[in-house]
């Protein structure tokens, strides 16, 4: 009986050692929404390679492009549960309405203003990190993407006049912020999941898309983009996130390697993001699209109306007191 007990303990100990070794050797999955070879894909592959090097091979990751692990709304939930280890993507307001706040239209004025509010320690960055933490998600870094615009498969109608009814149906992300923005600048907003958006434009269900920018339209909609309106609708930021428990259970050495690589991943993007936006606008032109003139005056008129009409409604949706307190902390 004693010998049997000893053997049992030896087997149990062996299993524990094996499982511990397997956990240490496990390769983390990183999800993102763009096709292979795009800017985010290349940056995440840089992150993956450098993380392995900095950690001495102890932290390994594999990049899954083009929503291979699921739509970003689903992936956020899976990161929260630990079913997906990491992702770099937009936040989902389906999980928490307050995630609409980082997408407030015409909240961020220019690239300098963006960096002041989304860099490490900045007000909006800290707000978003707090929202993620409530879902069991750790925010590692931001990846600034672009200022948004409108992609059309049909000729634009009075694009610079927010009061003009345009009779053009636009796909909007399933988020009240974008729905209200489209409706209040003269378009007919139709909520459609990202995975179905291209087909919706291609088949004429809608005439265009709002909620992305030149990078997104070139990556995923260039075959149905005949006109691009650089209306600066919103500032798009994606977040490099991971499961909070996974992060908390890392050794200090591994946390340092991860944090260092994430910070470099972010800083590299801030250095190239503005030029990348211009390059993607040119790619659309080279592919046959027309860039529609949208002057500073047009931006001002549109922004004034959106702030007056849309902002109060979204603040009601996310909680006026909480939302206004976040807006009040924005760096000017």
């Amino acid at each position: 009986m004693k010998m049997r007990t000893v053997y049992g303990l030896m087997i149990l100990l062996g299993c524990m050692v094996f499982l511990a070794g397997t956990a240490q050797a496990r390769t983390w999955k990183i999800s993102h929404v763009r096709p292979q070879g795009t800017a985010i894909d290349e940056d995440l592959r840089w992150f993956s390679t450098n993380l392995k090097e900095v950690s001495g091979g102890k932290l390994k990751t594999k990049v899954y492009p083009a929503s291979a692990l699921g739509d970003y709304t689903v992936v956020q939930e899976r990161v929260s549960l630990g079913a997906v280890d990491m992702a770099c993507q937009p936040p989902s307001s389906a999980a928490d309405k307050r995630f609409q706040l980082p997408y407030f239209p015409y909240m961020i004025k220019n690239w300098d203003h963006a960096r002041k509010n989304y860099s490490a320690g900045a007000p909006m960055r800290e707000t978003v990190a707090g929202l993620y933490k409530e879902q069991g998600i750790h925010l590692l870094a931001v990846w600034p993407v672009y200022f948004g615009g409108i992609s059309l498969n049909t000729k634009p109608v009075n694009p610079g006049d927010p009061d003009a009814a345009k009779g053009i149906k636009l796909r909007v992300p399933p988020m009240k912020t974008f729905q209200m923005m489209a409706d209040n600048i003269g378009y007919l907003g139709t909520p459609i999941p990202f995975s179905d958006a291209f087909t919706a434009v291609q088949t004429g269900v809608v005439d265009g898309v709002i909620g992305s920018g030149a990078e997104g339209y070139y990556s995923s909609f260039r075959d149905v983009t005949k006109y691009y309106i650089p209306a600066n609708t919103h500032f798009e930021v994606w977040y490099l996130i991971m499961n909070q428990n996974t992060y908390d259970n890392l050794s200090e050495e591994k946390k340092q390697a991860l944090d260092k690589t994430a910070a470099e991943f972010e800083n590299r993007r801030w250095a190239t993001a503005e030029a990348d936006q211009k390059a993607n606008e040119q790619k659309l032109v080279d592919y046959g699209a027309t860039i529609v003139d949208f002057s500073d005056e047009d931006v001002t008129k549109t922004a004034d109306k959106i702030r007056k009409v849309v902002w109060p409604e979204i603040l009601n949706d996310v909680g006026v007191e909480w939302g206004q307190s976040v807006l009040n902390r924005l760096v000017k």
Side-chain angles (χ1 to χ4, degrees), residues 110-148:
N110 51 47
W111 284 98
D112 181 60
H113 192 217
R115 190 159 191 170
K116 287 178 180 177
N117 284 285
Y118 284 93
S119 293
M124 186 59 71
R125 167 75 158 268
E126 294 302 304
T127 296
V128 175
L131 294 178
Y132 273 127
K133 191 169 185 177
E134 290 180 20
Q135 296 184 21
I137 295 173
H138 181 71
L139 173 56
L140 285 166
V142 303
W143 199 82
V145 193
Y146 46 61
F147 280 90

Side-chain angles (χ1 to χ4, degrees), residues 256-328:
Q256 288 177 14
L258 180 56
D259 292 344
K260 179 178 183 294
T261 309
E264 291 179 9
F265 166 82
E266 176 176 330
N267 290 333
R268 280 165 48 90
R269 179 58 184 177
W270 278 116
T272 61
E274 184 174 4
D276 190 55
Q277 175 176 301
K278 293 176 182 176
N280 278 293
E281 289 177 0
Q282 186 58 48
K283 284 181 182 179
L284 285 173
V285 171
D286 294 342
Y287 204 77
T290 298
I291 304 294
V292 179
D293 181 58
F294 203 87
S295 67
D296 290 344
E297 184 182 351
D298 294 333
V299 171
T300 300
K301 284 189 300 183
T302 305
D304 286 346
K305 181 174 184 181
I306 291 299
R307 290 175 187 138
K308 181 179 179 181
V309 178
V310 176
W311 280 27
E313 287 293 321
I314 303 303
L315 282 172
N316 282 330
D317 214 33
V318 302
V320 176
E321 185 176 348
W322 176 84
Q324 191 61 56
S325 71
V326 175
L327 293 176
N328 290 344

Side-chain angles (χ1 to χ4, degrees), residues 6 40 59 126 295:
V6 171
I40 182 59
L59 295 176
E126 294 302 304
S295 67

Side-chain angles (χ1 to χ4, degrees), residues 63 75 91 116 169 177 185 203 248 273 291 295 318 321:
V63 178
V75 167
K116 287 178 180 177
K169 287 188 287 186
T177 312
I185 58 175
T203 57
D248 290 342
I291 304 294
S295 67
V318 302
E321 185 176 348

Side-chain angles (χ1 to χ4, degrees), residues 218-287:
Y218 182 77
S219 295
S220 304
F221 295 94
R222 59 179 176 264
D223 289 329
V224 291
T225 299
K226 293 181 180 178
Y227 299 91
Y228 176 64
I229 305 173
N232 282 13
T233 52
H234 69 290
F235 183 66
E236 178 97 0
V237 181
W238 294 344
Y239 301 90
L240 181 62
I241 55 176
M242 72 179 297
N243 178 266
Q244 184 71 57
N245 287 335
T246 301
Y247 181 82
D248 290 342
N249 289 326
L250 292 174
S251 66
E252 284 305 312
E253 179 189 7
K254 289 179 180 177
K255 281 181 182 176
Q256 288 177 14
L258 180 56
D259 292 344
K260 179 178 183 294
T261 309
E264 291 179 9
F265 166 82
E266 176 176 330
N267 290 333
R268 280 165 48 90
R269 179 58 184 177
W270 278 116
T272 61
E274 184 174 4
D276 190 55
Q277 175 176 301
K278 293 176 182 176
N280 278 293
E281 289 177 0
Q282 186 58 48
K283 284 181 182 179
L284 285 173
V285 171
D286 294 342
Y287 204 77

